[in-house]
């Protein structure tokens, strides 16, 4: 949700019912297979029986037994029925259980209709039908642990086998699956060969002619890459390197690494001092 959308959302203050705030509640963590069974069970079904046995001077022993009705929801799946609950006290935390009573669709539609007739918005009626409750304060945490019997060991073995099965498998197929049609030659390869034919085979020109092209190129720039020189001269790279070794130096260090430049005896670049000396002369000639 963007910032503009959050600003558009109408914030309505609601009252929190604290009538059950003093009630102690247990927070129980159950295995996944029990949670799946309880989700499938209807609301009026007994899903388990809790037994608490107290011994003087010892902690209370808590056990959970699943009812046959829950096990009958999926007879093919065998799960443990007896479980032990490990109890731990909640001392350094303040935890609570809250419930939200959402309005039903019929109530919402009726409130919207009344709002249109009376000229008032339906949001006020909807907010009145929504209720927040505090069901209690968590005083104990319990972790449901199955008894390590034969049924539980078989359940764990099946889960390990399912987890170890690869998600992708090689399967033989009866029909030929053609996701793409094979191409004899790709378009970019054909275009490259046609361009090479149009350019023709690079023939070796006279050495003096190649040197003239190189000197003319180095008049524009001081440093060149070998690929750029091949494009400029249109000569085979091996033949071009032979000529470059005679008239150019290959830089091995930065900032012009792997680039060619003319040797000192072939350079005629003007220095900054020479340029400064020529400026007054040109100015004097213009004044005359």
């Amino acid at each position: 949700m963007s910032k503009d959308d959050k600003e558009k959302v109408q914030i309505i203050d609601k009252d929190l019912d604290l009538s059950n705030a003093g009630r102690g509640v247990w927070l129980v963590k159950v295995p996944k297979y029990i949670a799946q069974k309880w989700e499938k069970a209807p609301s009026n079904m007994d899903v388990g029986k809790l037994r608490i046995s107290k011994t003087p001077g010892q902690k209370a022993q808590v056990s959970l037994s699943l009812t046959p009705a829950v096990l009958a929801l999926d007879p093919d799946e065998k799960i443990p029925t007896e479980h032990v609950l490990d109890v731990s006290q909640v001392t350094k935390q303040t935890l609570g259980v809250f419930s939200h009573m959402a309005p039903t669709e019929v109530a919402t539609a009726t409130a919207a209709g009344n709002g249109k007739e009376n000229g008032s918005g339906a949001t006020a009626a909807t907010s009145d039908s929504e209720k927040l409750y505090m069901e209690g304060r968590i005083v104990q945490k319990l972790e449901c642990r199955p008894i390590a019997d034969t049924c539980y060991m078989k359940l764990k073995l099946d889960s390990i086998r399912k987890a170890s099965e690869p998600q992708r498998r090689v399967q033989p197929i009866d029909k030929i699956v053609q996701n793409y049609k094979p191409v004899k030659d790709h378009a970019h390869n054909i275009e490259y060969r046609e361009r090479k034919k149009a350019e023709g085979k690079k023939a070796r020109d006279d050495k003096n002619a190649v040197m003239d092209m190189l000197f003319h190129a180095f008049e524009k720039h001081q440093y060149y890459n070998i690929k750029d020189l091949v494009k400029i001269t249109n000569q085979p790279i091996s033949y071009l390197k032979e000529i470059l070794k005679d008239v150019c130096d290959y830089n091995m260090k930065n900032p012009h690494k792997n680039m060619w430049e003319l040797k000192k005896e072939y350079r005629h670049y003007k220095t900054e001092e020479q340029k400064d000396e020529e400026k007054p002369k040109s100015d004097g000639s213009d004044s005359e």
Side-chain angles (χ1 to χ4, degrees):
M1 183 181 292
S2 63
K3 185 177 180 181
D4 297 336
D5 295 336
K6 290 181 179 179
E7 292 177 354
K8 292 178 182 179
V9 174
Q10 185 178 2
I11 299 174
I12 303 174
D13 295 334
K14 301 181 180 65
D15 294 332
L16 178 63
D17 191 347
L18 300 175
S19 58
N20 296 325
R23 182 171 60 179
V25 181
W26 287 6
L27 179 64
V28 183
K29 181 180 179 182
V30 298
K32 188 176 181 180
Y33 58 86
I34 294 181
Q36 291 175 351
K37 288 285 187 181
W38 286 355
E39 287 179 358
K40 295 178 183 178
S43 58
N44 57 350
M45 179 186 290
D46 293 335
V47 294
K49 292 182 179 180
L50 198 66
R51 291 191 298 270
I52 304 174
S53 59
K54 295 183 179 181
T55 305
Q58 296 181 0
K59 287 184 177 181
Q61 301 294 327
V62 185
S63 61
L64 173 66
S65 300
L66 299 180
T67 58
V70 173
L71 300 176
L73 293 174
D74 192 358
D76 297 333
E77 185 182 2
K78 303 296 181 182
I79 62 173
T81 57
E82 299 296 329
H83 299 78
V84 177
L85 280 78
D86 297 330
V87 184
S88 62
Q89 300 292 333
V90 179
T91 56
K92 297 182 179 181
Q93 287 181 317
T94 303
L95 303 176
V97 179
F98 299 89
S99 62
H100 175 217
M101 185 67 70
T104 59
E105 295 181 359
V106 177
T108 306
T110 306
N114 294 333
K116 289 180 180 179
E117 293 176 359
N118 300 330
S120 59
T123 56
T126 305
S127 61
D128 293 339
S129 59
E130 290 185 8
K131 295 182 180 180
L132 300 176
Y133 298 93
M134 183 175 183
E135 300 295 343
R137 182 173 56 86
I138 296 174
V139 294
Q140 286 183 339
K141 288 184 179 180
L142 293 90
E143 186 170 356
C144 186
R145 179 170 49 85
I147 298 174
D149 55 359
T150 306
C151 182
Y152 176 71
M153 293 301 176
K154 187 177 179 181
L155 180 66
K156 291 298 293 182
L157 183 61
D158 293 340
S159 63
I160 292 171
R161 286 176 179 173
K162 289 180 181 179
S164 61
E165 289 180 358
Q167 296 182 355
R168 297 183 179 182
R169 295 183 180 180
V170 179
Q171 297 180 354
I173 55 177
D174 300 331
K175 299 180 180 179
I176 299 174
V177 179
Q178 293 183 352
N179 293 330
Y180 62 91
K181 293 182 179 180
V183 181
K184 182 180 179 181
D185 201 355
H186 294 280
H188 61 273
N189 292 334
I190 298 172
E191 182 183 356
Y192 177 76
R193 285 198 297 269
E194 289 179 353
R195 188 173 68 252
K196 284 292 183 181
K197 288 181 181 179
E199 292 177 358
K201 188 176 180 181
K202 293 180 181 179
R204 295 190 175 190
D205 292 340
D206 184 50
K207 185 176 180 179
N208 294 329
V210 177
M211 290 176 64
D212 290 339
M213 286 189 286
L214 290 174
F215 290 145
H216 183 69
F218 278 105
E219 288 179 359
K220 299 178 181 178
H221 300 286
Q222 186 176 356
Y223 302 96
Y224 276 96
N225 195 338
I226 186 64
K227 293 181 180 180
D228 296 331
L229 293 175
V230 169
K231 292 179 181 179
I232 293 171
T233 59
N234 197 23
Q235 296 296 308
I237 188 169
S238 58
Y239 177 60
L240 182 61
K241 283 185 177 181
E242 293 178 3
I243 301 174
L244 288 173
K245 289 177 181 178
D246 296 336
V247 298
C248 294
D249 292 329
Y250 185 70
N251 291 306
M252 301 292 291
K253 297 180 181 180
N254 290 325
H256 303 289
K257 189 177 181 180
N258 302 331
M259 300 188 76
W260 295 86
E261 68 171 331
L262 289 175
K263 291 184 177 180
K264 292 182 180 180
E265 56 266 27
Y266 297 106
R267 299 177 196 168
H268 57 278
Y269 303 117
K270 295 179 180 179
T271 61
E272 296 295 331
E273 295 179 356
Q274 292 176 350
K275 292 180 180 179
D276 295 338
E277 290 178 358
E278 288 182 357
K279 283 183 180 180
K281 294 181 180 179
S282 60
D283 295 340
S285 60
D286 293 340
S287 62
E288 291 177 359

